Amino acid sequence: MKLRAPLIAAGAAVVLGATGGFLLPAVANAHSAAVASAPGATHTLKFIVVTNKFVRFTKATYLAQETDVSGTGKTVGFDEGSITFKTRNVATAGVTFVRLGGFLYGTFTTTNGGKTLTGKITGGTGAFDNATGTITGKAITSVKTAVTITYSSSPTPTPTPTSTPG
């Protein structure tokens, strides 16, 4: 199987992860403060995923590590992804985005060799607790993918203490 570099970039994006070419300046929304002050509100993250390293574990499975940058090149986070190829052009992936305030988890699929990707936000920790939403991405180069994540989250409710009889 011939591996296409854009698929690896897309795979770890979320890329993903992709990490979402949107050649407009990518903006990484300030995460924890905005989310913490507006639980349930919709937030959008736009950034460029730059593939740093990928490792092939089986004929069809790769792991990737990437740096997520703004349109001006400032590092806004990182992501790690596990990509499984179904065919030469079709792959699925799980990804974890590491951001100020917590982790954001997602899954996505590409059906055109990594040129584009679509998927879902499936959860998170900290400021991204109970996050749900979408991931889209488009390859810019063989090692860069523009990613857009739209999500909302709500903190896990604090259990109410109960009194014991007696």
Side-chain angles (χ1 to χ4, degrees), residues 82-135:
S82 174
I83 306 103
T84 302
F85 290 88
K86 306 295 184 186
T87 69
R88 180 177 176 190
N89 288 315
V90 177
T92 59
V95 65
T96 299
F97 295 95
V98 181
R99 293 287 184 275
L100 178 64
F103 296 160
L104 194 56
Y105 306 124
T107 61
F108 67 84
T109 300
T110 183
T111 57
N112 56 12
K115 294 176 186 171
T116 60
L117 60 93
T118 58
K120 295 181 180 183
I121 293 298
T122 59
T125 65
F128 306 104
D129 200 24
N130 296 317
T132 59
T134 61
I135 303 170

Side-chain angles (χ1 to χ4, degrees), residues 71-84:
T72 61
K74 179 181 176 186
T75 298
V76 296
F78 301 93
D79 64 79
E80 311 292 331
S82 174
I83 306 103
T84 302

Side-chain angles (χ1 to χ4, degrees), residues 29-38 43 45 99-102 125-128 151:
N29 291 348
H31 319 293
S32 54
V35 175
S37 65
H43 305 277
L45 306 175
R99 293 287 184 275
L100 178 64
T125 65
F128 306 104
Y151 73 96

Side-chain angles (χ1 to χ4, degrees), residues 11-66:
V14 197
V15 112
L16 51 90
T19 28
F22 314 118
L23 296 178
L24 57 116
V27 178
N29 291 348
H31 319 293
S32 54
V35 175
S37 65
T42 299
H43 305 277
T44 300
L45 306 175
K46 293 184 179 188
F47 52 93
I48 298 168
V49 171
V50 180
T51 301
N52 297 319
K53 180 87 174 166
F54 65 91
V55 178
R56 181 177 177 173
F57 280 93
T58 70
K59 184 177 179 181
T61 305
Y62 294 76
L63 298 182
Q65 188 282 320
E66 296 158 331

